Amino acid sequence: MTDVQQQAAATGAPDPDDADWTVTQDRTPETAPSDDGGIGVRAAISFARRSWRGLTSMRTALILLFLLAIAAIPGSLLPQEKLNADKVAAYLAEHRTIGPFLDRVGAFNVFASPWFSAIYLLLFISLVGCLVPRLRGHIVNLRRVPPDAPARLHRLPVSRSDLRLGGTPAEAGERLRVLLRSRRYRTVVRSQPDGSLTVSAEKGYLKETGNLLFHFALLALLIGVAYGSWFGWHGGRLLVAGNDSGFCNTVSQLDDLSLGARMNAADLEPFCLTLNRFHASYLSDGQPVQYSADVSYTVGTGNGPTTTDNLRVNHPLRLPDANVYLIGHGYAPIVKYTDKYGHSVTQVAAFLPQDGNMTSTGAIMFPDVNINPATGSNVDPKTYVKQQMGFAGFYYPTVSTSDPTDASGSVYPAEDNPMLVLVPYRGDLGIDNGVSQSVYTLDQAQIDSGRLTAIDPSSPLRLRPGQTARLDDGSTVEFLGTRQWVSLSLRYDPGEKLVLGGAIALVIGLLLSLTGRRRRVWFRVVPEASGDGRTVSVASAGGLARAEYASFPVEFDGIVDAARESDGDGSADGGAAREGR
Amino acid sequence: MAELSRELLFGAIVAYVIAMMCYAAEFVIGVSAPGGALLGARVRDRELVGAGAPIAARSGADDPTPVSPPASGAKPAGIQWPGLSGEAAIGSSAHADRGLRWLPFYGRLAVVVTGIGTLLHASGLVTRGIAAGRVPWGNMYEFLIAVTLVCSIAWMVLAIRRPAIRPLGLVVTLVLVVLLGLDLIVLRTAVEPLVPALNSYWLKIHVTLAITASGLFMTGFCVAALYLIRTGYEKRAGDGRPVGFPYTLGPRLPVATNLERLTFRIHAFTFPIWTLAIMCGAIWAEAAWGRYWGWDPKETWSFIAWVVYAGYLHARATPSVKRNVATLLAVGGFAVMMVNLFVINFAVSGLHSYAGVG
Ligand code: HEM
C-alpha cells in the first residue's frame, strides 16, 4: 500500500470504491461454490475458474508479453524463411545436426510458428479477460458520485481547518460547489443530520479512461494484425521496361505470390501495369540518390482508362486493393542471335545485380533456333541432342577505361562504358522437360551431363552495344543494348487501417494514462452562531491524491484559497492553519 | 566542415572528461570526509553564509578542500541538503538559490564544464549537418552523436532544475565519454548523402523520435543505476554489512525515494516517445518496403525494448512488486536498447543494415 492508501484507510473514509485506489488488478481467489454437484465437477469448475483468473491477471499478461519478446529473439538471430530463404538453406546445409531440429520447431519461421501464435492467442484472451471487467468497473465508477467526506479530514495528506466562510452552510456549500465545478471537479453536496454539510469532489477519471483506451487499442492492434494476415496477400514481379512486357495481376503472371489464409487467387485486385521508363541517379562514387519509375496501369478486368504514375522509393503506387512498391532495379541486355540458317531471334533477359556498381549476371536463352528448314527440327540427327543456344555471363554498366578487358567488375552503376561478356553454349537447355528452372542461369545439370556444352569457354565474347560476334558455326550474336527492369513488390493488407487506428489510440491512451491524476477534495461546513446572531460557516478541507502527483498540495492550496476569496472576505480567517504533511 | 565537426566533438569529450573528474573529486571528498568533518564544515558554512561571503569562492581560494554539504544526520543514509530533499522544495527557486550557495566548488565547476561540453557537442552535430547538407542522422555514427547529445541536454536540464541530483553527473559523463568516444573512434564515417530508402520525411520524424527516446532512456538509465546503488548502500549500511565498490558511491547520492521517483518520471515521459518512434518507423516501413512490420531484427529488438519498458511501468504500478525489482526492468530495457544499437547493427544484417557500418 502506498502512503496515500494507508492514509485513506486510516481515516476510515466510507469509500465504496476504495479498491479502485489501490492499483493492483490481481483479484484474490474466491472459494469454490459449495452447492455444486460431485467432487469431481466441483474440482473441475474450481480449477477452470482458477485458471481463468490466473490467465486474466495482469501478471500473466505481462509474462506472456515477455514471452512474446523472448520468442522473437531467435527470429531476429536465425535466418528466416520469409526474409531470406537462401540463407535458411545455407544454414541447414552447414548445421547438419541442429539444423533439422531447429527447422522442426519452426525456428526458421518463428513469426508463423504454432508456439508464437499460441503466445499471441493467450495474450489476446488474457487481455480480453482482464479488460472486460475493468471496463465494466470503470463505467460503474464513472456513474458513481464522489464518496462522502471522511470523518476526520485533518488526517488526510493535505488538510486545512478553521476556514471561515460567509453565509449559511447551504450558501457556502453552493459556492464551493460552483468553485469546484469550475475546476472541472465532479462535485456533490450532502446535508448531514447534524446540520453540517459536506462537499465531495473528485477529478481525474481520464487517467483510467486513457488506460483502458490504451489496453483496448492494444487489442485492436492484435486484431488488425491477424485480420491483415488472413485477408491480405503479397507477391513479387520483375518487370522489364517496354510496352511489350507489361503484366497483369494474376497468379500466372506473378513471379511469386503468398495469399492470406482466407484468400483465393480469384480475389486478387485486377490491374495491369507497364514500366515506361526507369531512371536512377547516382553520386560520383556510385552511391544511389534516387530511383524513379514511370508506369502506366489500368485497373479492372475490362479495357479501363490507362493512368500513368511515377513510382519512387518511399512513394508506392496505391491502387484500391493493392499497393505496388519499387524495391529494386537492374539491367536487361537485348541480344539478337542469327543462326546458321539466317533465322534471327531477339531476346531481352534480366540480369541480376551482384554489387553496388551493378555488376550483373544472368543468362540468355534461345530455345527455338537452329531449326533445320528441311526437317523442321533442331535435333541433331547424329547425337539426338537439341541444338538450342544459351549464353551465360556478366553485364558491366561501366568497365574500367584503363583496362577494358579486366572483367573483375563494374566500376560505376550507370551505363557509362558498358560491356556484355558472354560464354555461348549449344545443346539442350533442359527447359522443355516440365521442370521449372531459373531464368537467370543455365541448367547446371544439363552442362554436367554434357548435353549442353560451352563453345570455347576460354575466350568469352566481349560485346559493346552495337557490336556483333561470329561463332564457330557462322551464326552471329549482336548486343543491341539494354532495357531497365524494376522489381516490384505487390501487397494488400486490409488490416493496416485498423492497426494504424489502434496505434494512434494507443498513444493517446498512453498519454492520458501517464499524465492523468486522480484526486479528491472534501469540505465540511459547520454552522456557527456569530456574535450578532447570524449564522456563519466554518469549514475544514482535506484532499487525497493517488500516487505520482507530487504537486497536489499546491493545487489543494489553490482551491482552498480560492474558496476563501470567492467568499468575499478572505481576511476574516487569519487563523486558518495549514496542516499539510 | 566535417573536420571541424570532429574537432568540436573531441572537444566535447575533453570537457566531459574534465567534468567527470570534477564530479569524481566532489564524490571522493564527500565520501572520505568523516562525520565529524562534515559537522565541522556545516558550522563553518553557517558562519560564512552569515558573513555574506560566497562560499564557493572562499573555499576555492584558500582551502583546496571544498566543504561538503551538511548531513541531515537522521539516517546513516544520508545527506539531504537543506531544502532540497523534497520534490516540492526542489521546484522552488528560493530553495534552489539557497542550495546553490551551499554547493561545493567542484560540483558547480563540473556542471559548468558539462554545459560547455554540451555546447561543443551540439555544435559538432550542427557542423556535421552542414557538412552533409541534410539532417545529421543518416548513419550510426551520426545517430550516436545525436543520442548522446540528447542525453547530455536532458542531464543539463535536470542538473539545473534539481541541484540535489548533481552527484549523478559522474555516471552520466562516464556514459557520455564512453559512448561518444567509441563513436568517434570506431564508428567514424565520411559524410555521405542518404540512400534513397532513407530519403523521406518519415525518416526525419522517426529517427528524431528514436534519438530523443534513446537519449532520454540513457539519462533514465543513469538515474536508475544510481538508485540501485543507493538502495544497495542503504540496505548494506542498515544491516551493518561492509559496503563494497559500487555501493561506496551511495552516501553521496540523493535519497532513494527521490531517485526512484525521478527514474519513473523520466521513463514515463520517454515511453510514449519511444512508442511514437516505433509507430512512425512502421509507417515509414509501409511506404518504403510495403509492410508496416516485418520482424526485421531492428524492428524485433525495438519491440523487445518496448515490452521491457512497458513491463517496468506495470511493475512500478503494482504494489506487490518491490521498487528496486521494477527498476531492474528499466535497466534491462536500456540494455536491450544497447543490444539493438550495437549488436544488431554489426552482427545481424537486415533491411536496416544501411546504418553505414560494415
Ligand atoms: C491482462 C492484462 C492487463 C492488465 C490487467 C493491465 C492493467 C494495467 C493497469 C491497471 C495499468 C495502470 C497502472 C497505473 O495506474 O499506472 C496498466 C498500465 C499499463 N499497461 Fe497494462 N495491463 C494488462 C496488459 C497489458 C499489456 C499486454 C501491455 C502491453 C504492452 C500493457 C501495457 C501497459 C502500459 C505500457 C501501461 C503504462 C501506462 C500507465 O502507467 O498508465 N498492459 N496496465
Side-chain angles (χ1 to χ4, degrees), chain A residues 58 76 287 318 325 491 548, chain B residues 193 286 288 290 301 314 316-317:
Chain A
M58 176 155 128
S76 76
Q287 157 129 308
R318 298 201 185 271
Y325 302 85
R491 287 191 170 259
E548 300 324 328
Chain B
E286 199 281 330
W301 283 85
H314 259 123
R316 176 136 190 319

Side-chain angles (χ1 to χ4, degrees), chain A residues 23-27 55-62 65 123 125-131 134 207-208 210-211 214-215 218 506 509-510 512-515 546 548, chain B residues 264 268 271 275 306-307 309-311 313-314 316-318:
Chain A
V23 186
T24 176
Q25 294 291 313
D26 292 334
R27 278 140 295 176
L55 181 62
T56 58
S57 78
M58 176 155 128
R59 183 177 309 141
T60 312
L62 272 180
L65 205 62
L123 179 63
I125 297 171
S126 162
L127 263 174
V128 173
C130 84
L131 283 184
R134 275 181 68 194
K207 181 180 179 63
E208 177 67 2
N211 191 275
F214 169 84
H215 288 87
L218 209 58
L506 185 139
L510 190 61
L512 291 177
S513 169
L514 285 171
T515 55
R546 251 167 81 162
E548 300 324 328
Chain B
F264 172 72
F271 185 73
T275 310
W306 188 79
V307 168
Y309 280 121
L313 293 183
H314 259 123
R316 176 136 190 319
T318 313

